[in-house]
Amino acid sequence: MSGRLRVGVLASGAGSNLQAILDTVHGHEADVVAVGSDKPDAPALGRAVAAGVPTAAFPAAEHPDREARDVAMATWLVERGAELVVLAGYMQLLGSAFLAAFPQRVINVHPALLPAFPGIGAIEQALEYGVKVFGVTVHFVDEGVDSGPIICQRAIELPGVTDAAGVRDALRPIEHELLTGAVRLIARGDVRPDPEHPRRMLVRGA
Ligand code: GRF
């Protein structure tokens, strides 16, 4: 055992956030020990294989319901020794059966400044609203939709932007930096709840 934080990642899509973790924190502050997906053909799984990280797919069709799928995923991640679970573009809700296996140990990256624009289509929601400032949030996952305690956020002014692809391109490097930074902070034990106000996270050095 390396003594480094053991991280499981769940991803549904391209996996650029997973890649950022593999390229920067993997083998340093943390070890990515498992990458799972709800989509057997997710490019993210290929990135994990290329990095020599074990993968598994948990398609809905192979499980009687969402809870059974959650339990299967949690069991696999626990077997792999994951201590922290990172949702890196995992596009399914996780229920209490999963979260109970990793209490306050699941984090997510969201392409908006929460609590504005939670859920799917956050960038499209923000554009529709006509905001001038966009951003990224990394937060702990609770049973709500993007409602858990916030670890870090960063805003970016994009006053002239009119298309989702432009916003996505501007946010992607911020996502990579914040998400890898959050994994690093957690690995170093630098994130803890404020005893006076437990949903406020105290981040050492922030
Ligand atoms: C990111 O925009 C993330 O905010 C959202 O899903 C996307 C995942 O991108 N939750 P990638 O698969 O990491 O490239």
Side-chain angles (χ1 to χ4, degrees):
M1 295 286 258
S2 65
R4 294 189 284 259
L5 182 71
R6 294 171 68 84
V7 175
V9 177
L10 296 180
S12 303
S16 72
N17 281 282
L18 166 66
Q19 193 66 55
I21 292 168
L22 290 170
D23 289 346
T24 59
V25 284
H26 181 53
H28 300 277
E29 291 89 347
D31 286 322
V32 178
V33 295
V35 175
S37 182
D38 54 319
K39 301 229 170 355
D41 56 354
L45 292 178
R47 295 179 188 265
V49 170
V53 176
T55 62
F58 300 85
E62 289 181 10
H63 302 274
D65 53 31
R66 200 186 77 184
E67 187 178 337
R69 193 239 309 258
D70 279 6
V71 169
M73 272 193 314
T75 303
W76 181 70
L77 289 165
V78 168
E79 280 167 8
R80 297 288 315 143
E83 301 165 294
L84 174 74
V85 178
V86 178
L87 306 187
Y90 182 67
M91 302 311 280
Q92 305 290 326
L93 282 177
L94 289 172
S96 53
F98 186 95
L99 296 173
F102 296 97
Q104 197 82 319
R105 283 269 136 180
V106 183
I107 67 172
N108 181 45
V109 60
H110 184 73
L113 293 171
L114 293 170
F117 312 122
I120 56 165
I123 291 172
E124 288 77 7
Q125 290 180 56
L127 275 170
E128 179 69 21
Y129 197 92
V131 301
K132 305 294 185 198
V133 179
F134 295 76
V136 172
T137 303
V138 177
H139 63 94
F140 285 106
V141 174
D142 64 11
E143 287 182 40
V145 177
D146 299 318
S147 57
I150 290 170
I151 302 166
C152 51
Q153 294 185 294
R154 187 175 303 160
I156 178 170
E157 290 186 34
L158 300 170
V161 78
T162 54
D163 67 304
V167 179
R168 207 162 277 121
D169 287 348
L171 295 187
R172 193 167 294 116
I174 302 176
E175 288 190 343
H176 297 171
E177 204 182 314
L178 285 196
L179 187 60
T180 55
V183 173
R184 244 185 233 116
L185 287 165
I186 292 169
R188 292 177 185 154
D190 286 345
V191 180
R192 66 185 172 90
D194 183 344
E196 309 270 301
H197 185 76
R199 80 155 281 136
R200 183 189 300 136
M201 289 294 138
L202 301 176
V203 179
R204 190 162 27 212

